[in-house]
Amino acid sequence: MSAKLIDGKAAAAQLRSAIADEVTKFRAATGRAPGLAVVLVGEDPASAVYVRSKGKATIEAGMESFEYKLSADTPEAELLDLLDRLNADPAADGILVQLPLPAHINANKVITRIDPDKDVDGFNPVNAGRLAIGLHGFVPCTPLGCLKLLRAELGDLSGKSAVVIGRSNIVGKPMALLLLGDSCTVTIAHSRTRDLPAVVRQADIVVAAVGRAEMVKGDWLKPGACVIDVGINRLDPAEPGGKGRLVGDVDFASASQVAGAITPVPGGVGPMTIACLIRNTFVSAARRAAFRYGKDL
Ligand code: NDP
């Protein structure tokens, strides 16, 4: 392997510790802790794991965690009522509803109901619009984490050519807008992109957010490129050599021979996603209390 490993776990630990320091000052100044309300509907095991780790990270940062676990058959109206109550609750600085939701609930309606100024996931259309036109709002945690890793690795991103593979509302599109905001020349690739390897080969920065195990190969990369692998894919345990391993969207073995720097899976983007959720929750509390904090969060 010739690429430098980008240690997302260490970067996330550093960010979380910086936030915990600010939370201590916030509590002393305001007499209360920032709070995050997390709503889980149904019993999806992966979602339950995510909700548990978000709650744990919130408490470790010195903040309050409020968990609402609703049964899978909860009517949509009941969920919307809960969100109205949380929107009005001064103890909830951040609100998030764990996705995916059961099929009878309209996720867009739910996301839109969260007060944009408490929408720490950054999925509300108001926050998507703010990001698009360069206003302060909340940026989705995964792309924000990727941007932080890229800035820490490369410094000024201005003028670099970046390819984002994937155009989802929660990763690809906001990622492209963040890179554009840092003055990269951005290409967004997706399932209809022609000759994807040739497109990727132009890029100084590659962000892969596809959901296809080990799709991006080493020979797709420009030598020295910085590669951020967002993908989380569990290999089929029945597959030879698979053993249920967790892999990214990038073929790490070949890509790490060509890239200049690369994130591992696990231990790359994943930990930064949670750290950025904690960051957004603290920022929400600070904005609401007009509390001044260090700018480098
Ligand atoms: P989506 O399924 O919503 O989007 C996937 C995107 O990849 C789509 O835009 C799709 O294109 C594109 N795509 C699919 N196949 C190809 C292909 N063969 N070539 C090029 N593009 C393709 O996924 P998400 O954005 O939600 O997530 C992407 C990955 O990131 C997943 O593995 C997910 O598990 C992971 N993830 C990780 C997080 C973390 O914290 N590390 C957080 C969130 C997601 P089209 O639009 O044309 O269909």
Side-chain angles (χ1 to χ4, degrees):
M1 161 165 174
S2 61
K4 180 187 163 198
L5 202 65
I6 299 175
D7 188 346
K9 228 170 144 178
Q14 209 172 14
L15 178 57
R16 282 166 59 171
S17 143
I19 295 160
D21 290 347
E22 294 294 344
V23 168
T24 304
K25 293 181 209 155
F26 178 93
R27 291 174 73 139
T30 64
R32 73 175 195 91
L36 173 65
V38 179
V39 183
L40 174 65
V41 187
E43 281 91 36
D44 176 54
S47 293
V49 170
Y50 286 134
V51 166
R52 256 201 310 281
S53 50
K54 287 171 185 176
K56 189 165 164 267
T58 307
I59 290 163
E60 279 172 10
M63 308 199 288
E64 287 213 72
S65 166
F66 311 108
E67 280 181 26
Y68 295 84
K69 291 186 177 152
L70 309 183
S71 64
D73 59 359
T74 300
E76 184 182 276
E78 205 175 294
L79 174 58
L80 296 175
D81 281 350
L82 171 61
L83 293 177
D84 289 343
R85 288 200 300 281
L86 292 173
N87 285 340
D89 181 353
D93 297 290
I95 303 170
L96 79 82
V97 177
Q98 185 65 42
L99 301 178
L101 286 166
H104 68 280
I105 297 179
N106 180 334
N108 278 332
K109 208 163 157 183
V110 168
I111 289 165
T112 306
R113 193 66 156 248
I114 298 171
D115 177 347
D117 294 330
K118 293 188 173 189
D119 167 42
V120 286
D121 255 344
F123 296 163
N124 185 297
V126 171
N127 282 319
R130 286 168 170 164
L131 175 60
I133 63 171
L135 294 178
H136 280 295
F138 288 110
V139 172
C141 304
T142 299
L144 180 59
C146 295
L147 183 74
K148 286 181 180 295
L149 291 177
L150 283 166
R151 283 179 179 167
E153 185 56 38
L154 300 173
D156 184 10
L157 305 184
S158 172
K160 296 203 182 294
S161 99
V163 170
V164 178
I165 319 175
R167 55 174 163 178
S168 73
N169 290 335
I170 62 170
V171 189
K173 275 185 211 156
M175 185 75 244
L177 286 167
L178 286 172
L179 291 166
L180 190 61
D182 269 26
S183 300
C184 291
T185 303
V186 184
T187 303
I188 307 176
H190 46 76
S191 66
R192 308 290 177 93
T193 297
R194 293 193 189 143
D195 197 355
L196 185 58
V199 172
V200 172
R201 219 168 276 128
Q202 306 300 315
D204 304 312
I205 294 169
V206 179
V207 180
V210 188
R212 287 179 182 255
E214 301 176 319
M215 184 184 85
V216 177
K217 308 295 181 197
D219 62 4
W220 294 22
L221 299 173
K222 178 177 178 176
C226 187
V227 179
I228 304 290
D229 190 352
V230 180
I232 302 177
N233 312 284
R234 192 163 294 278
L235 293 181
D236 183 351
E239 204 178 297
K243 295 185 189 151
R245 254 186 328 127
L246 214 57
V247 298
D249 291 339
V250 177
D251 176 26
F252 188 87
S254 63
S256 59
Q257 300 302 317
V258 184
I262 187 167
T263 58
V265 177
V269 173
M272 281 303 281
T273 296
I274 297 220
C276 287
L277 173 66
I278 303 307
R279 181 247 177 226
N280 280 356
T281 303
F282 170 71
V283 167
S284 176
R287 281 182 191 156
R288 285 152 44 74
F291 173 82
R292 292 167 71 91
Y293 60 94
K295 282 223 176 319
D296 55 343
L297 288 185

